[in-house]
Amino acid sequence: MEAAKPENEAGRLAMLHDLEVLDTDPEQEFDDIVKLASHVCGVPMSLVSLVDADRQWFKAKVGTEVDETSRDVSFCAHAILGKDLLVVPDVHEDRRFADNPLVAGDPGVRFYAGAPLVTSDGFALGTLCVVDSEPRRLNLDQLQALRALSRQVTAQLELRRYAKALNRTVARLQDIERRRDDFANLLAGDLRAPLHELGAYLASVSTDREPDPVLAEALVRTTRRHLDPMRQLVAHLLAMADPENEGYEALHLREVDLTRITERAVQAVRPIAATKEIWILHGQGPPLPIYADPVRLEQVVMHLLFATVKYTPPGGRVRVTTVDEGGPGVRLDDLDQPDTERPSLFTHLYYSAVAQLEDGPDRGLAVAKRILDVHHATLALSDRPGQGTSLRVVFPAITATLAPQ
């Protein structure tokens, strides 16, 4: 049975294409997530599936070599109609899928579970799904982990879109600076001189006697000669006055509590940590007000914590604290365990987040660093054998931060 279209289909497709992710190359961050989803759920196949107008395309996949399928046979097209998991323990017993070609033929689907990738604007772009050729049921921990991993996929997609908007903002502000230099020239010479000349001609013809035809003709010529430059100046001034040209569409700053944002990020990642038997040690700290984009900052903290969990060996410990030392901050400690493999978090954080190398091991960390830069946050990274890797992110105190206009 072919799935119905979501009520917000037009906006959903617009958002999906605005992400500019369709038909892009594989990326390690998404590949890691499907591998983890496959492992956690104990199934051979996992996919990050993006539902386009007439197809579903796989941004990441494990257990199949197929890149896309038609939307009319897509299980995920059904999953995006809801906001929570779609779980089908045995597709033979579900009339929506019993006659699906993917069930009768290759790959012989019998089990499906998909978590919608729902953006902060409410658009379900696709799913993180797990598939098996045998009927099965997932336990509560597996379901929670699948939900948590789907939020990681969505956060990655949104953070990259946000980072692109920031790049446009920077380019636009640089253009404004160039225009300001042009305005200085216009005001100093191109505008002052013609106005002086026009004023002199007007003074000559504004008398009680009949206007001198020669002066009148000169006034007309002068006006025509300077009309276009003056129009250009007005257009530039109007562009400068347009708030949209300041690039604030990428920023939604307001006063938020860093401690509360960190708590939500911890709760979002805990189900994933549990699958690796990693303890997240976190105690509630005092309120720490900062100016930030609450949605994007929560996604950034969530990704930093997810990276910490991802690169920590099974059975490890991660400590998360929020403190006000030199400014409101959050600290992540990847603690070494005696006689166990050392965490590899430091290398990933250094090359991706600190050095921001384009070919760094984790592009998502580089995006997170770019967004932290916009928040004027500073990063401190340390690594000591026996103590582990520590990452500290410090924000400006709210009293020292100018509120957005």
Side-chain angles (χ1 to χ4, degrees):
M1 179 187 298
E2 185 174 352
K5 299 292 177 64
E7 293 182 357
N8 60 359
E9 177 71 356
R12 191 191 71 82
L13 289 174
M15 173 64 75
L16 176 60
H17 286 270
D18 188 51
L19 290 171
E20 299 179 351
V21 66
L22 291 171
D23 300 310
T24 56
D25 293 334
E27 297 179 54
Q28 188 65 45
E29 300 94 306
F30 297 106
D31 292 343
D32 287 343
I33 290 175
V34 293
K35 290 176 184 176
L36 186 54
S38 174
H39 173 74
V40 167
C41 296
V43 299
M45 186 185 302
S46 179
L47 308 158
V48 171
S49 171
L50 301 175
V51 181
D52 202 356
D54 56 3
R55 61 170 179 157
Q56 64 171 353
W57 177 78
F58 306 137
K59 173 59 183 172
K61 59 186 185 293
V62 62
T64 180
E65 296 300 320
V66 177
D67 292 324
E68 63 180 59
T69 70
S70 174
R71 180 171 176 172
D72 58 6
V73 299
S74 167
F75 284 68
C76 299
H78 291 269
I80 64 172
L81 298 176
K83 299 300 183 183
D84 199 8
L85 289 171
L86 172 63
V87 181
V88 187
D90 187 348
V91 299
H92 285 178
E93 298 177 2
D94 193 311
R95 63 184 182 86
R96 293 172 296 179
F97 308 114
D99 61 350
N100 190 297
L102 300 178
V103 175
D106 189 48
V109 176
R110 288 294 300 275
F111 164 80
Y112 172 88
L117 308 175
V118 183
T119 69
S120 54
D121 297 323
F123 297 110
L125 305 177
T127 73
L128 171 65
C129 64
V130 290
V131 180
D132 199 352
S133 57
E134 299 291 336
R136 67 169 53 249
R137 293 184 181 276
L138 300 180
N139 61 39
L140 181 58
D141 289 342
Q142 291 171 321
L143 295 173
Q144 290 178 338
L146 190 59
R147 289 188 185 97
L149 288 169
S150 73
R151 288 192 289 269
Q152 290 295 327
V153 175
T154 305
Q156 276 296 303
L157 294 173
E158 289 201 289
L159 286 174
R160 294 176 188 206
R161 176 174 179 267
Y162 185 70
K164 290 177 182 177
L166 292 178
N167 289 339
R168 290 194 297 269
T169 296
V170 171
R172 190 171 296 168
L173 292 175
Q174 290 174 342
D175 182 61
I176 288 173
E177 289 297 324
R178 288 192 294 269
R179 288 207 305 267
R180 284 175 177 163
D181 293 338
D182 294 338
F183 298 158
N185 293 331
L186 284 168
L187 293 173
D190 294 345
L191 180 60
R192 184 179 301 170
L195 286 178
H196 178 75
E197 191 174 350
L198 290 173
Y201 280 125
L202 288 172
S204 300
V205 299
S206 298
T207 61
D208 294 335
R209 53 189 176 80
E210 286 292 323
D212 185 337
V214 176
L215 286 176
E217 178 63 25
L219 176 61
V220 171
R221 289 197 307 269
T222 300
T223 302
R224 287 174 176 170
R225 185 171 72 252
H226 295 299
L227 185 60
D228 285 342
M230 294 177 72
R231 282 175 174 167
Q232 181 183 11
L233 175 63
V234 171
H236 283 329
L237 292 174
L238 289 174
M240 283 289 292
D242 184 357
E244 292 186 358
N245 280 332
E246 292 292 338
Y248 289 124
E249 76 280 356
L251 306 172
H252 304 283
L253 303 178
R254 61 182 177 87
E255 184 175 330
V256 298
D257 181 8
L258 177 61
T259 297
R260 180 60 184 143
I261 286 176
T262 303
E263 289 173 355
R264 289 198 297 265
V266 168
Q267 293 305 316
V269 176
R270 264 208 168 109
I272 304 172
T275 65
K276 296 182 64 176
E277 299 182 344
I278 291 175
W279 290 92
I280 297 182
L281 311 176
H282 175 249
Q284 185 174 2
L288 296 175
I290 62 172
Y291 278 117
D293 182 319
V295 175
R296 303 303 167 226
L297 183 57
E298 183 176 336
Q299 290 176 331
V300 166
V301 176
M302 187 168 65
H303 183 70
L304 291 174
L305 185 53
F306 174 64
T308 304
V309 168
K310 184 168 64 171
Y311 299 123
T312 295
R317 296 178 301 153
V318 174
R319 184 171 58 212
V320 183
T321 52
T322 48
V323 293
D324 190 357
E325 297 177 355
V330 57
R331 178 168 175 164
L332 305 179
D333 294 301
D334 190 356
L335 305 174
D336 281 358
Q337 297 294 301
D339 302 322
T340 62
E341 178 186 357
R342 290 216 65 216
S344 58
L345 177 64
F346 180 84
T347 301
H348 291 269
L349 285 173
Y350 179 79
Y351 286 108
S352 298
V354 179
Q356 296 191 70
L357 299 181
E358 291 185 1
D359 57 349
D362 193 325
R363 182 184 170 194
L365 287 173
V367 171
K369 175 59 165 58
R370 193 176 312 164
I371 294 170
L372 288 172
D373 288 342
V374 175
H375 287 82
H376 304 290
T378 58
L379 273 69
L381 182 63
S382 64
D383 186 60
R384 297 177 181 176
Q387 298 183 17
T389 300
S390 294
L391 174 68
R392 187 179 176 203
V393 184
V394 181
F395 296 83
I398 201 166
T399 55
T401 306
L402 293 177
Q405 301 296 319

